[in-house]
Amino acid sequence: MPELPRDLGELDLADPRTFREHDQYEIWRRLRREAPVFWNAPRGGNSGFWALTKYDDVVAVYKDAENYSSERGNVLTTLLAGGDSAVGRMLAVTDGKRHQDLRNVLLKAFSPRALAYVAERVRANTRDRVRAGLDLGTCDFAADVAEKIPINTISDLLGVPDGDRDLLLRLTKTALSSDTESDDPEEAAEESLMARNEILLYFDDLVAERRAKPREDVISTLVQAVVDGRPVSPDDVVFNCYSLIIGGDETSRLTMIGMVPALSANPDQWAALKSGEVSVQSAVEEILRWVSPAMHFGRTAVRDVTVRGQEIAAGDIVTLWNSAANRDEDVFTDAERLDLARTPNRHASFGYGPHFCLGAYLGRTEIGAMLEALRDLVDEMHITAEPERLHSNLLSGITSLQVKLTPRSSN
Ligand code: HEM
């Protein structure tokens, strides 16, 4: 990979090509050290933005809903476009009381108790997929094993019929720009917008069905919910279904895929997992820190603020780089080392504060189920070809991973 420019001002963190041309961790090391409150200069008609890479700064902004708002978007795509059409309606881009009320409705559907049945299905399904990978001998871990686990989980929760899940998976990948036909950022953005609209239209129909005939699923819970004395409007239900699909599919999938190279490159850690020396619970947290599938989230400063002595003006976009915070050497001992037993491990992968990931329990369940299935069923994992990575400014991970899996003899 080419070296980073001497002048960090040449870097554009909004351009996905930056993460194809450079090792992201090299970028984060330099930024944490030389420009922890980095001004990403305006480019191609887009405004500039701040990028925070130190753990303490990232966490402080996540927690500070007084000074920073999510209502002008919470990812670079929408922040740079000047806003998100779902503001005040979709959980992630709603602030204040409305956010809290809506979140309370959803939290009931996402409590560990409510998810017990889904969690059981996830475990069984994950073991089946790992067995299928073992049967193949050499498989593409992304396509043959991990591909459908998260989409099936969220679809179970939302009540999406089996026959529609492949379509939703394809649309979700395109919407998040990880599976576009095009290398051109503008074309990719166009494709992604069309996919988003298709997802919304899809849920329009499903929400209408559930309104007419509620069942035992999250969509039915939402259509029957009352927030602030009024029912949640059908459009708002649609936006929140969209956000659950978008938020819950790719992040979990990329983490499951990313654990394979992490474990195979660290045989001591793989051995410690297999022998039971480290718990699955602590391994889940380290894998989340290590993979950091959601690279950034963002906010808009609502008043003039100061971060590390740097003045940030009201209205400025402030991006929080989880992938950089999670390797901050001032917080994590041997931050560049995979240590499945790491404690404490307060990684920033699920964010912090009022918007802390709603699906964290579900995500952890899925990642834990995959670690357990690999631990119990697989003896060796040998990567047989260079993994294909996705190149995005939002998601980090692998889209194709050829791996030879050898079964544990006790199976
Ligand atoms: C919020 C990461 C899995 C649904 C977030 C945020 C992060 C995150 C960092 C905070 C966004 C912000 O502050 O602007 C992840 C990661 C996951 C994961 C790394 C898996 C490894 C899931 C799953 C679901 C989900 C499985 C649902 C099925 C959501 C929702 C929000 C959210 C609805 C918005 C919460 C709010 O604004 O109150 N996620 N997520 N996520 N996540 Fe996740």
Side-chain angles (χ1 to χ4, degrees), residues 1-2 15-23 183 390-392:
M1 280 192 174
D15 187 341
R17 287 173 295 195
T18 302
F19 301 103
R20 179 166 61 199
E21 286 159 16
H22 304 289
D23 169 12
D183 236 13
L390 73 86
H391 301 288
S392 146

Side-chain angles (χ1 to χ4, degrees), residues 204-381:
D204 233 8
D205 291 343
L206 199 59
V207 167
E209 277 179 37
R210 291 299 183 275
R211 268 163 61 83
K213 215 168 163 203
R215 294 193 196 167
E216 290 282 310
D217 55 39
V218 171
I219 299 188
S220 305
T221 308
L222 279 168
V223 297
Q224 296 174 96
V226 174
V227 168
D228 218 8
R230 271 180 310 182
V232 182
S233 78
D235 280 357
D236 291 10
V237 177
V238 168
F239 275 127
N240 284 292
C241 292
Y242 168 86
S243 96
L244 294 174
I245 285 277
I246 288 284
D249 172 54
E250 201 141 27
T251 43
S252 304
R253 186 149 42 79
L254 292 172
T255 313
M256 289 185 208
I257 302 166
M259 73 174 65
V260 173
L263 293 170
S264 94
N266 292 279
D268 60 324
Q269 298 297 302
W270 175 222
L273 180 73
K274 279 197 297 180
S275 69
E277 195 186 310
V278 292
S279 71
V280 166
Q281 210 181 4
S282 88
V284 166
E285 301 310 314
E286 181 67 346
I287 292 294
L288 277 161
R289 183 187 78 90
W290 192 254
V291 177
S292 297
M295 294 164 74
H296 82 267
F297 277 98
R299 300 287 187 262
T300 305
V302 290
R303 51 182 66 84
D304 294 351
V305 283
T306 305
V307 178
R308 246 170 234 272
Q310 172 65 55
E311 284 176 20
I312 291 180
D316 281 1
I317 296 169
V318 181
T319 53
L320 318 173
W321 292 84
N322 299 333
S323 30
N326 280 341
R327 301 276 178 113
D328 186 340
E329 41 290 281
D330 287 342
V331 174
F332 300 97
T333 315
D334 278 342
E336 305 275 350
R337 196 167 74 83
L338 182 82
D339 174 6
L340 298 182
R342 186 180 291 279
T343 30
N345 191 351
R346 286 190 283 270
H347 59 76
S349 292
F350 287 127
Y352 271 91
H355 290 279
F356 177 77
C357 178
L358 182 82
Y361 174 79
L362 197 57
R364 286 180 164 126
T365 302
E366 290 173 319
I367 298 159
M370 183 57 84
L371 281 167
E372 267 168 24
L374 292 176
R375 177 196 68 186
D376 297 346
L377 305 174
V378 176
D379 187 37
E380 272 183 53
M381 301 187 282

